[in-house]
Amino acid sequence: MISRPSRPSRLSRPSRVPRTVKGLSLVSLFNDFASEMVYPLLPAFVTRGLGGGPLVLGLLDGAAELTSSVVKLISGRLADRPGWRRPLILWGYATAVLVRPLISIANSAWQVVGFRVIDRLGKGLRTPARDALIAEVTPPPIRGRAFGFHRGADHFGAVLGSLAAWFLLRRGADVRSVIGWSALPGVVAVVVLAVVLRRVGSQESGVGDNESPVTSHQSPPASDDSGDSRLATGDSFWPPVLALTALTLFRLPETLLILRLQDCGVAVAAVPLVWAGLHVVRSISSYPGGRLSDRVGPRRVVASGGLLFAMTAFALGAALGPAEAIGLFLVLGLVAGLTESGERTVVARLAPARTGRGFGSYHALIGTTALPAGLAFGALYQSGSGRMALWVSGAGMLLAVILWLIVSPADEEHPSS
């Protein structure tokens, strides 16, 4: 009698987020704690403290992300070389920790732009290597939830940072001193990172305890969900990645969204609290969004996030009071929960063999669009109105979603745990 091959039981399918991912998530939590003590205060700091305008705010976001994108293109290639991922991640976080508090001593809007650019240079160094490491140590069927777990921790750190900034402002601290205090959680992030990367190095040497070595999921076989194992620069890679870029291009920069809140009557002192609320929504929705991506596929989840942004942008363009504007602003947190893990899952699938280069190319394209988008929306906001900028953003997002649905890879079915 010929026995049939047994199907793997549900219990044998991977379900737990790897320890390395949890460690990197803790690092991101503390780093975003530091970052978000600073970021939501920049619109008021630049426009009211240093005399800048909406155009400078658009340049602030755009120039920083453009610098980050160029560095990501290079660091993504380096991340695929043996022994490079850990130094790239470490120096990327360390650069941000050293430079970010220096914004507190800026005497002009252009100095803020310069410090912000150097801060984002650190992000460019670490991001492709970190995302490639997460993809490498995580089995493909649960990559959505792994990225969702990481993004959730990242956004929770933003909650803590925003609340800390709000608390210090309520206690009478000025904006400069709050920015200076951001050094403390940044140092904690680097210390935790050193411990995490040391453990990863031990696993690579065969000394790890409960987790498979970090190389166990590198270069998956052809039968894996990752698809073509060639270099991620072919016809199958660029169309969906360019569509993801379009989805980012039409998102109104967050500094301008914060400015819109202020235009609707939200007090500057309340902005860190509202920003914390946004990241509460992002943090809570990130892991469920990653699980949803694993179940129904990232294509549909990313499209849903784009549609939600478009509808919210149209609504934010209407005449609103402070409470209504805050409510809609918080809805935008669901967009990140729906899209971030799905986008990274798509990139990991499209670039299975040289994942660092794939993530570097993806993040570089995303960042490259930030400068023209920031300048365009900043100029539109300044010469026209916040309402016009939001409506153009919403209309462009609808077109980008259509493009994404046309060129994105079909969702693949995975047995969910």
Side-chain angles (χ1 to χ4, degrees), residues 264-357:
C264 293
V266 178
V268 173
V271 167
L273 197 59
V274 178
W275 188 251
L278 175 73
H279 283 282
V280 167
V281 178
R282 286 177 171 175
S283 181
I284 292 174
S285 62
S286 288
Y287 187 72
R291 286 183 64 95
L292 186 63
S293 174
D294 289 335
R295 288 180 178 273
V296 306
R299 179 175 182 266
R300 302 167 192 168
V301 174
V302 170
S304 299
L307 290 174
L308 180 60
F309 180 91
M311 291 186 293
T312 307
F314 284 129
L316 273 171
L320 302 170
E324 296 167 315
I326 290 173
L328 288 170
F329 186 73
L330 295 180
V331 170
L332 290 175
L334 294 174
V335 176
L338 287 171
T339 60
E340 288 180 341
S341 57
E343 290 174 358
R344 286 163 172 78
T345 300
V346 169
V347 174
R349 179 186 300 172
L350 293 172
R354 298 183 183 179
T355 314
R357 183 177 298 190

Side-chain angles (χ1 to χ4, degrees), residues 150-310:
H150 175 265
R151 299 309 301 157
D154 184 275
H155 292 309
F156 184 66
V159 174
L160 298 178
S162 301
L163 290 176
W166 173 78
F167 175 77
L168 290 172
L169 290 172
R170 290 276 294 181
R171 294 294 298 268
D174 60 15
V175 171
R176 291 183 184 271
S177 63
V178 173
I179 294 173
W181 275 107
S182 70
L184 184 58
V187 170
V188 175
V190 173
V191 172
V192 173
L193 177 63
V195 175
V196 172
L197 294 182
R198 183 177 181 181
R199 190 180 69 204
V200 171
S202 297
Q203 291 167 353
E204 288 176 333
S205 303
V207 187
D209 43 13
N210 295 325
E211 186 178 313
S212 300
V214 72
T215 56
S216 62
H217 297 289
Q218 192 170 16
S219 300
S223 60
D224 195 82
D225 84 308
S226 300
D228 196 346
S229 62
R230 295 173 299 177
L231 173 64
T233 54
D235 294 339
S236 64
F237 179 82
W238 291 113
V241 170
L242 288 172
L244 289 176
T245 304
L247 288 168
T248 303
L249 174 66
F250 289 106
R251 290 180 192 169
L252 195 74
E254 290 176 333
T255 49
L256 295 179
L257 288 170
I258 294 173
L259 188 61
R260 176 61 177 169
L261 290 181
Q262 295 171 194
D263 291 345
C264 293
V266 178
V268 173
V271 167
L273 197 59
V274 178
W275 188 251
L278 175 73
H279 283 282
V280 167
V281 178
R282 286 177 171 175
S283 181
I284 292 174
S285 62
S286 288
Y287 187 72
R291 286 183 64 95
L292 186 63
S293 174
D294 289 335
R295 288 180 178 273
V296 306
R299 179 175 182 266
R300 302 167 192 168
V301 174
V302 170
S304 299
L307 290 174
L308 180 60
F309 180 91

Side-chain angles (χ1 to χ4, degrees), residues 401-412:
V401 169
I402 294 173
L403 175 64
W404 165 252
L405 290 174
I406 292 173
V407 304
S408 57
D411 289 326
E412 299 186 23

Side-chain angles (χ1 to χ4, degrees), residues 10 13-15 141-142 145 291 294-295 413-417:
R10 295 180 68 87
R13 297 167 187 159
S15 61
I142 62 167
R145 73 190 66 182
R291 286 183 64 95
D294 289 335
R295 288 180 178 273
E413 298 295 331
H414 286 307
S416 57
S417 58

Side-chain angles (χ1 to χ4, degrees), residues 83-170:
W84 277 79
R85 285 185 184 171
R86 286 186 292 160
L88 286 170
I89 297 171
L90 181 60
W91 283 107
Y93 279 108
T95 299
V97 168
L98 291 172
V99 172
R100 191 184 296 125
L102 296 180
I103 295 175
S104 64
I105 65 173
N107 293 315
S108 71
W110 298 108
Q111 289 177 346
V112 175
V113 172
F115 286 132
R116 181 69 175 169
V117 164
I118 300 174
D119 176 13
R120 296 293 90 178
L121 185 149
K123 183 178 178 65
L125 285 174
R126 68 180 181 259
T127 301
R130 184 201 63 211
D131 286 352
L133 182 57
I134 291 174
E136 180 183 308
V137 301
T138 306
I142 62 167
R143 278 180 182 158
R145 73 190 66 182
F147 282 117
F149 185 93
H150 175 265
R151 299 309 301 157
D154 184 275
H155 292 309
F156 184 66
V159 174
L160 298 178
S162 301
L163 290 176
W166 173 78
F167 175 77
L168 290 172
L169 290 172
R170 290 276 294 181

